[in-house]
Amino acid sequence: MTDDPTRAAEPSPQARELADVPAVEVISRAAVMLMSAAAEKLGLSDPDPDESPYRDLDEARRLITALAGLVTASAEYLGPHAGPVRDGLKSLQLAFRESSAAPEEPGHGPGEKYTGPVW
C-alpha cells in the first residue's frame, strides 16, 4: 500500500483471483453451495433425515427458492451444467415435499413459482 493519495490502491489477491473466474463458474459454485445447504437443512446428510439436528424446513424452503431463482435466471449461461443443476433442484424440491408434514400441492412448493410444478 502507498501513502500517495493519487495512486489507486492495489486490489487484494482475493479480489484479483475472483476477477479471473468466469461468470458461469461463479454461478455454478453458488448453485452448488445453495444445493448443499438445502440438503443439509433437509437432513439429507444423516441416515435418518427426520432425526437430523440440522433439519430446518423453513431454512430449506428459503435456500431452495433462492436456488430456483438463480437457476431460472441463469439457465442460458450454464450450458452443459444447466441439466444437472436443474435435476439437483428438482430432487431437493421433491425431498422437501416428502419431508413436509402437510405437503403443498404441486406448483406451490419452494421455488415452484420459478420452475413450475414439480411432480
Side-chain angles (χ1 to χ4, degrees):
M1 190 156 192
T2 180
D3 291 332
D4 182 358
T6 61
R7 263 183 83 174
E10 292 288 321
S12 71
Q14 197 172 28
R16 275 191 298 242
E17 289 174 17
L18 189 55
D20 294 335
V21 179
V24 67
E25 188 173 334
V26 173
I27 295 166
S28 297
R29 285 182 186 182
V32 168
M33 180 175 275
L34 288 167
M35 277 189 225
S36 298
E40 284 290 335
K41 296 298 183 179
L42 288 170
L44 299 178
S45 63
D46 286 336
D48 183 358
D50 292 332
E51 298 300 318
S52 172
Y54 304 110
R55 186 176 174 128
D56 184 335
L57 295 183
D58 213 32
E59 289 284 301
R61 172 184 296 282
R62 293 176 182 138
L63 292 162
I64 294 167
T65 300
L67 175 61
L70 175 65
V71 169
T72 301
S74 60
E76 67 182 289
Y77 308 119
L78 291 173
H81 304 285
V85 172
R86 277 194 202 114
D87 291 346
L89 169 59
K90 182 177 180 179
S91 294
L92 290 168
Q93 289 171 312
L94 291 172
F96 183 92
R97 182 168 288 125
E98 290 172 12
S99 298
S100 297
E104 294 149 325
E105 292 294 318
H108 298 284
E112 291 183 41
K113 69 180 178 182
Y114 302 113
T115 65
V118 175
W119 308 97

